[in-house]
Amino acid sequence: MSTPHAQVVELFVTGDEVLRGTIADTNSATTAAKLYPLGFTVRRITGVMDRGEDIRRALLEISARADWCLVSGGLGPTSDDLTAACAAQAAGVELRLDEPWLAGMRARWAQRRAEPMPLNNERQAWVPEGCELLGNPDGSAPAFALRIDRCHFFFLPGVPREHHRIVDELVIPRMLAALHGTGHTAHRSRVLQCVGIAESKLDELVSPARLAHPKVRFGFRTKFPENHLSLAARAETVAEAESLLAAAEADCRKELGSFIYGQDGVSFAQAIGNLLVARSQTLACAESCTGGLVSQLCTEYAGSSRSFVGAFITYSNDLKERAIGVRHETLVAHGAVSRETALEMAVGAREKSGASWALSITGIAGPDGGSAEKPVGTVFIGIAGPNGVLEARANLFRGDRGQVRTQSAFAALQLLREQLTR
Amino acid sequence: MSTPHAQVVELFVTGDEVLRGTIADTNSATTAAKLYPLGFTVRRITGVMDRGEDIRRALLEISARADWCLVSGGLGPTSDDLTAACAAQAAGVELRLDEPWLAGMRARWAQRRAEPMPLNNERQAWVPEGCELLGNPDGSAPAFALRIDRCHFFFLPGVPREHHRIVDELVIPRMLAALHGTGHTAHRSRVLQCVGIAESKLDELVSPARLAHPKVRFGFRTKFPENHLSLAARAETVAEAESLLAAAEADCRKELGSFIYGQDGVSFAQAIGNLLVARSQTLACAESCTGGLVSQLCTEYAGSSRSFVGAFITYSNDLKERAIGVRHETLVAHGAVSRETALEMAVGAREKSGASWALSITGIAGPDGGSAEKPVGTVFIGIAGPNGVLEARANLFRGDRGQVRTQSAFAALQLLREQLTR
């Protein structure tokens, strides 16, 4: 078998809801981002409706082109779930009832409901003759693997949570194991998550490391305003893969320095929350133009209450005065969008909350409200903390209302991170 | 020419960043959702990397299958932007320099920058011989239309903002005009946006209306936790299309009643904001487990400051007492997640902010913190308002942390909406 870099991988998505735009196909991007650093580049993504001819036609086209294909969707219990039947028809085999899977489905059903399982659901236990049943840790539609012509197909449920777990636990290990002959069965990967650096700059900074570590695969993923670098090493043994990865990671970390805030799925706010917990410190916010976005980011992970106390969303000037004691004279003299107001918001939020640190944000997110002196995108970000820390910075962000708000929230968190890592 | 229902439409997306999972393809879902109610069902979506063979192969395959194809991406100035060249090669024609477009690019450049335009950018003014230049109101890569074999291709930039405007203003009108022979050149559409109703129930409720109005196309789009119904009518004249649409819309509104909160792109929070502005009333919030999500929703549209005053994100118990005067005894006796605390949060937020209405949310978003008595998903939602309005409701939401938070925020806004529309 050839090296994985030469393997042709395709993704195939079925479903009226995708082709009608009822939902967007996000499974493909997530899966492609996992496969790429392992050396499996997706050559084509195909989507068709729940229409037998279209599904069979695409399967047979792919079967002559690709070495691997991950199929998403159409394994449910309803009449428009055609994928298992189409897979059998394309392969020229019959469907068979998998009795153990059916028994398992019935047992799961009985645990949760009083009424008998609908007959329709039994459809999900019919799979093509000769397939390898992969199962489904989280659902009743079993994934299965089936070879058609030269291509190894994996048929997976489309529900994202089920889909992604099966890709991780059942598909990727089989793809890597099938490459045993190349001697690259062990793999280790790492995602280095960065803020404050554009993708092109990230690419440029790590390119010497990429040249120096040809056995490690480099990939990029944008999650505005963050950019992530993924590294993946394959080797004969786990120890060798770990050593290849560690050497490349060390070089990347040297180049990227403090642009890296975390790794392997931690969020930016969570990484900062961890720094606060390590110091037994807490955070509060006073947000105006971001309308609670920093608070959202600070509370979206479990356990956030250990470091996040809360926030004052002082959207009106009146509430800036009432809730956190910004002085009326300050608002009159300098305006709500000013360094002076940002400073008083930070001081007030810290005092009123009793938190160790307070961040403040006041600005013009647009599209209205800008002026020649303070155009849309003007945002003042303040911080107040222990040992007399108190400062505010002016920013001018580009983009639409949502982009200005997102950049403001990240800049505020970054201001705190600088204090916590200096 | 046959009726549009029989027309084969395909979408074709190019770009390494999509196939590597660096970004997800969201253009396709947006475009498919626009085309479907007009009678153009997308039969296939194809994505390939920036690789000449793959682009030419896909174009030629599509050229034999489809009547229409919208191509996204690869029209930029860099060396991996291959689409215009591949289009010419697939069609068997040469590229030609469009001098007027180049002159326009140079003029635009000179208005904004001092240095001369890089030579690379001139690439964007080269288009296939025989194409129709469509242009680009928002960028330097011109869209163009080109027939290859039996298929009308539209080549469009991938940047979402540019892409969507060109689809709306330059592509859809041409597709509809080309169907002139069928006598359906005028079209009118409407999106009815619903909350509190599942897609299957929505489908069921409007199916009599769908049968009664066969000339109007019904489509669905899920935007969790909302479900949207789109209606589109085509006719010989605008007046006739409007009359068809109005009749179907009236029947749908009769069935869906107050499930419909708005239409044609307004957000749920914005629809409620409009109700508040009409009464010259204002809103404040006290949020615990949602961590500012209601505030986010209430401030993400321009002009939100006319009705939204601000919020207290009282994530800690201490801040519930300090910021909005929840009584210590209440927290001790009933816990932070209780009807009593929700009521005091709403009253306190209303008093401290001076707003007409206050919403409060306190609950267990998970994954930790649940108990037998108050499992994960238990959320109390309170409201305080003019004329002594004061109540709190218990909810039990299913799903992960993010889904519990989203449902909580929508349920709170819905509680206010009930008060404003009774």
Side-chain angles (χ1 to χ4, degrees), chain A residues 136-156:
Chain A
N136 181 344
D138 301 308
S140 56
F144 58 87
L146 181 67
R147 179 155 183 159
I148 307 177
D149 201 347
R150 62 172 285 226
C151 180
H152 295 87
F153 284 88
F154 294 103
F155 293 88
L156 314 173

Side-chain angles (χ1 to χ4, degrees), chain B residues 43-82:
Chain B
R43 276 282 288 278
R44 191 188 277 227
I45 302 172
T46 305
V48 305
M49 305 196 80
D50 297 315
R51 194 166 174 274
E53 299 90 326
D54 289 357
I55 296 173
R56 290 188 293 272
R57 185 181 293 119
L59 287 173
L60 286 163
E61 290 168 8
I62 294 166
S63 73
R65 277 194 311 248
D67 301 291
W68 305 96
C69 180
L70 281 64
V71 186
S72 173
L75 297 183
T78 61
S79 60
D80 59 356
D81 288 303
L82 305 172

Side-chain angles (χ1 to χ4, degrees), chain B residues 2-158:
Chain B
S2 58
T3 70
H5 294 275
Q7 299 265 307
V8 175
V9 181
E10 297 199 18
L11 305 182
F12 179 35
V13 181
T14 70
D16 288 358
E17 65 280 14
V18 171
L19 278 281
R20 287 179 184 165
T22 308
I23 59 170
D25 163 36
T26 56
N27 287 353
S28 293
T30 305
T31 299
K34 285 176 191 163
L35 293 175
Y36 181 69
L38 297 174
F40 295 103
T41 305
V42 176
R43 276 282 288 278
R44 191 188 277 227
I45 302 172
T46 305
V48 305
M49 305 196 80
D50 297 315
R51 194 166 174 274
E53 299 90 326
D54 289 357
I55 296 173
R56 290 188 293 272
R57 185 181 293 119
L59 287 173
L60 286 163
E61 290 168 8
I62 294 166
S63 73
R65 277 194 311 248
D67 301 291
W68 305 96
C69 180
L70 281 64
V71 186
S72 173
L75 297 183
T78 61
S79 60
D80 59 356
D81 288 303
L82 305 172
T83 301
C86 288
Q89 291 152 353
V93 300
E94 298 293 320
L95 287 173
R96 68 171 178 82
L97 178 63
D98 193 277
E99 295 283 1
W101 189 262
L102 182 61
M105 279 175 65
R106 286 200 174 118
R108 276 170 48 120
W109 183 277
Q111 277 172 10
R112 304 193 307 179
R113 319 207 196 191
E115 74 273 19
M117 189 176 83
L119 270 182
N120 254 3
N121 287 33
E122 293 192 9
R123 284 171 55 93
Q124 296 180 294
W126 287 84
V127 294
E129 290 277 5
C131 78
E132 179 195 3
L133 198 82
L134 303 177
N136 182 344
D138 301 308
S140 56
F144 58 88
L146 180 68
R147 180 156 183 157
I148 307 176
D149 202 346
R150 61 173 286 225
C151 180
H152 296 87
F153 284 88
F154 295 103
F155 292 87
L156 313 174

Side-chain angles (χ1 to χ4, degrees), chain A residues 96-412:
Chain A
R96 69 171 177 82
L97 178 62
D98 193 276
E99 295 283 0
W101 188 262
L102 182 61
M105 279 175 64
R106 286 202 174 114
R108 276 172 47 121
W109 182 276
Q111 276 172 10
R112 305 193 307 178
R113 319 210 195 188
E115 74 273 19
M117 189 175 83
L119 269 181
N120 255 2
N121 287 34
E122 294 192 9
R123 284 171 55 94
Q124 297 181 291
W126 287 84
V127 293
E129 290 276 7
C131 77
E132 179 195 2
L133 198 83
L134 303 177
N136 181 344
D138 301 308
S140 56
F144 58 87
L146 181 67
R147 179 155 183 159
I148 307 177
D149 201 347
R150 62 172 285 226
C151 180
H152 295 87
F153 284 88
F154 294 103
F155 293 88
L156 314 173
V159 181
R161 196 171 48 94
E162 301 178 14
H163 184 89
H164 297 315
R165 182 162 173 196
I166 295 171
V167 169
D168 289 339
E169 297 181 5
L170 300 169
V171 174
I172 287 177
R174 278 172 175 75
M175 291 176 72
L176 290 172
L179 298 173
H180 188 69
T182 65
H184 291 92
T185 55
H187 75 105
R188 281 295 177 270
S189 62
R190 167 121 311 147
V191 177
L192 299 178
Q193 301 172 199
C194 301
V195 290
I197 182 170
E199 191 193 343
S200 53
K201 184 75 184 169
L202 176 60
D203 191 358
E204 184 190 320
L205 284 182
V206 301
S207 42
R210 177 161 44 188
L211 292 174
H213 301 277
K215 289 183 175 174
V216 176
R217 201 67 181 202
F218 286 54
F220 302 91
R221 189 169 168 86
T222 299
K223 204 180 149 194
F224 182 80
E226 303 182 26
N227 278 293
H228 298 180
L229 168 67
S230 63
L231 304 173
R234 285 171 301 104
E236 284 189 44
T237 65
V238 169
E240 197 193 335
E242 271 171 4
S243 139
L244 285 168
L245 181 66
E249 182 182 342
D251 280 2
C252 291
R253 285 188 178 274
K254 210 181 301 169
E255 289 300 331
L256 297 173
S258 69
F259 288 124
I260 301 171
Y261 72 80
Q263 65 181 50
D264 299 338
V266 70
S267 78
F268 187 44
Q270 190 174 2
I272 292 167
N274 292 343
L275 292 174
L276 288 169
V277 168
R279 298 168 158 233
S280 303
Q281 292 184 333
T282 55
L283 172 66
C285 300
E287 302 189 53
S288 185
C289 67
T290 41
L293 180 54
V294 177
S295 306
Q296 269 297 290
L297 296 171
C298 286
T299 60
E300 71 187 0
Y301 63 96
S304 48
S305 58
R306 283 182 298 160
S307 58
F308 189 72
V309 165
F312 301 88
I313 315 303
T314 55
Y315 211 57
S316 71
N317 281 359
D318 182 46
L319 202 58
K320 288 182 182 73
E321 297 181 36
R322 280 170 178 258
I324 48 175
V326 173
R327 289 179 307 150
H328 189 70
E329 305 77 58
T330 305
L331 291 168
V332 171
H334 303 283
V337 178
S338 64
R339 185 183 305 274
E340 291 77 7
T341 297
L343 287 171
E344 291 191 18
M345 286 171 69
V347 169
R350 183 161 181 262
E351 280 175 6
K352 297 284 180 181
S353 67
S356 327
W357 296 91
L359 291 169
S360 66
I361 302 178
T362 180
I364 302 158
D368 312 314
S371 66
E373 195 198 346
K374 292 175 185 173
V376 167
T378 302
V379 180
F380 291 89
I381 295 175
I383 188 167
N387 307 320
V389 170
L390 180 64
E391 67 167 297
R393 291 188 193 164
N395 300 270
L396 182 58
F397 297 116
R398 293 179 58 174
D400 63 22
R401 183 178 174 88
Q403 289 167 327
V404 169
R405 283 154 58 103
T406 301
Q407 292 171 90
S408 301
F410 273 74

Side-chain angles (χ1 to χ4, degrees), chain B residues 220-238:
Chain B
F220 301 92
R221 188 167 169 88
T222 298
K223 202 181 150 192
F224 182 80
E226 303 182 26
N227 278 293
H228 298 180
L229 168 67
S230 63
L231 305 172
R234 285 172 299 104
E236 286 188 44
T237 64
V238 169

